[in-house]
Amino acid sequence: MPGPSATGTPGPGAKPRGTMAEVSSSPGGRPPPGGTVPAGRASTRDSVGPTVAPADGASRAVVPLRVRAPGPDETEYRLSDVDEWGRSEHMRAVARALYDPVYSRWFRAEWDGLEKVPETGGALLVANHAGAIPSDAPVIMHGIEKELGRPVYGLADYFFRTIPVLGTLWSRTGGVAANPDNAYRLLHDQEQLALVFPEGTKGSSKSFTERYQLRRFGRGGFVEIAMRAGVPVLPIAVVGSEEAMPTLLRFSRLSRLLGLPYVPLTANMVALGPLGIVVPFPAKFKLKVLDPVGFDVPPDQERYPRSKVMEEAERIRTRLQDAVYEMLAERRSVWFG
Amino acid sequence: MSGPAGGRRVLVTGADTFWGGRVVQALEADPQFEVILGLGTGTPTVSLERAEFVRADQAYSILSRIVRATGVDTIVHTFMVVDSTAVKPRALHEINVIGTMNLLAAAGAPGSTVRQVVVKSSTMVYGSTEHDPNTFGEDTPRSRPPANRMERSLVEAEQLVHDFAEDNPQVDVGLLRFANVLGTEIVTPISANLSRPLCPCIFGFDPLVQFVEEDDVVRALEHVVRTGVRGTYNVAGAGRLPWSEVAAMCGTRLVPLPPVTTGLAASPLQRLGAVDLPPELAALLRYGRGVDTRRLVGTGFGYRYTSAGAVHSFVRALRMRRGVGRRPRSYVYEHDVEQFFRHSPSVISTSEA
């Protein structure tokens, strides 16, 4: 018989499936007992409900929209609506209200192919990353929440967690550390939308002379996550992010000294002074959702062939790069699109 | 899993501590457990009905003799220190690592009658760093090596348990990892902080923490002793709360400590007794920790409390304590009195009636 570490699991690779308490109760944070679902949440609830098998199997005939976890109600006694990811719907609403003028007036974000984002089920959103303080992440998260009413969890470097105040705000407004376990739990167990920038800081730190030239897509980890979770990858090409905050110079020694990924001198700082550290230029944002990429592999495998993973990652990178070039060829003005 | 006379014979370590005492009390209520031996270094703090209390040193050097003499079939190892402020650093290693080693050596000795070992550990073995996943499953490895003494001793002790399980396939080994405990009675650095009007936090951090209620701790241990399930299990209430919300529920005001040189800033306050901030708690107050509890639920265990429920239970007890002041200790162990009740022919035994 196996020792403690091996017992109780279905076996290696087969991660515990979300059929019990966790799934039904976690993504929404607090379903009102027996009441209605808040409007912004309806779609996620729906997406979770039918996949949850009743724990006892007795009431299988009727699959309610919201399956209450067996045992005590975890929203009882709670004072806030912060969910297990640290996300608070209340904080999101505040952030949405504050960010909407930036989204619709400053950047005048315009979407193409938004209907390709599924209304239910998990999907991994993948986009190109640019700008010293990249505006692409909030624009995509805000846009999809506003247009489709689906929450998007933004996966970012764990470095964010270490920054006081900012790390907490980032978490409350839907940020999650880019950890493979986190991504699997979000995409597979909870069927959410997760956004990732495979270029990472290599994308946002590149200088303006290299604008819109996509960096290496890491080691293809995002493809492996999507394969394991059994969800499609949805590439999103973004134009406008480079001009919103162009990097002129990088101070590598200073960044090492401060323990930051990079310390740039941006055109914004030159033009606006200290204000330019945070204020982006009003470049016109255009976003194009490309066709979803599915993978012809079984989910929940321990490992996937590296060659296959790299090949798929490179294919997605090429498609995104081509789409970005295409959009740039169509663009008449940086500021007016 | 039955002893000579049909009933089970259980040995509970740390019977003089909070958890050991509670587990012994829970087992005493069931006649299925024919013999209950409580092992401890001090004197019992709760009234024991029929359990025999044996005093031993913390490294359990006499344990193999006890196991051989009494023929116990089950060992419940609750004497695992999870609060580094409670004991000296030296004793921490001695109790958690050396104690567990001797205990398992006795249980695995040739001719041993032991068929089940249940160990109480802590989710602290997962650590708390920025590299952590949001949720730890039982098989999720630590993201970084242990950074403090507390975690190191628990990781070492668990390794011993894993090795023991591998070497002794005839023994059902259950390893329970409990989240931070809150409840009506238990005193931990967390509960001490939350009881004060001012409670520490780290500036700019509001981690998500998960709790388990003390009744659920005892019930989980009892559940595993009864069912004999093998393997490692996380035990924690459903849901998790930001530390600020926990403080708000407890009616305490958060005092932010600087995010850099936190230990330095906290040390004078610790010396004054104004805060409790052992290194393992300082890490938790930065990054928090969440665990997956589906596996234990899958064995048929039902929780009575959620994380928020555990906080609520603690708050109720806190309010009551404030209302009535300090209550006198309800029980003082007197060795001769206990011996009299157990062995004197004048005592009429009610359990056989």
Side-chain angles (χ1 to χ4, degrees), chain B residues 183-212:
Chain B
T184 52
E185 301 281 340
I186 186 147
V187 179
T188 66
I190 287 186
S191 76
N193 283 322
L194 292 172
S195 308
R196 299 192 187 103
L198 298 172
C199 170
C201 71
I202 294 170
F203 175 78
F205 290 88
D206 194 7
L208 299 176
V209 282
Q210 203 167 0
F211 293 106
V212 58

Side-chain angles (χ1 to χ4, degrees), chain B residues 193-277:
Chain B
N193 283 322
L194 292 172
S195 308
R196 299 192 187 103
L198 298 172
C199 170
C201 71
I202 294 170
F203 175 78
F205 290 88
D206 194 7
L208 299 176
V209 282
Q210 203 167 0
F211 293 106
V212 58
E213 219 274 349
E214 56 188 51
D215 284 348
D216 278 341
V217 174
V218 177
R219 288 177 58 246
L221 285 166
E222 209 190 329
H223 168 79
V224 173
V225 170
R226 280 178 196 284
T227 55
V229 291
R230 293 170 162 235
T232 309
Y233 299 92
N234 292 330
V235 189
R240 48 196 98 153
L241 307 86
W243 181 243
S244 60
E245 189 178 337
V246 177
M249 284 174 78
C250 296
T252 168
R253 200 176 271 271
L254 286 177
V255 181
L257 298 169
V260 286
T261 64
T262 310
L264 206 66
S267 70
L269 296 171
Q270 264 176 298
R271 206 156 294 169
L272 288 170
V275 299
D276 280 282
L277 201 71

Side-chain angles (χ1 to χ4, degrees), chain A residues 31 127 174 196 251 289 332:
Chain A
V196 69
F251 305 104
V289 185
R332 290 208 197 98

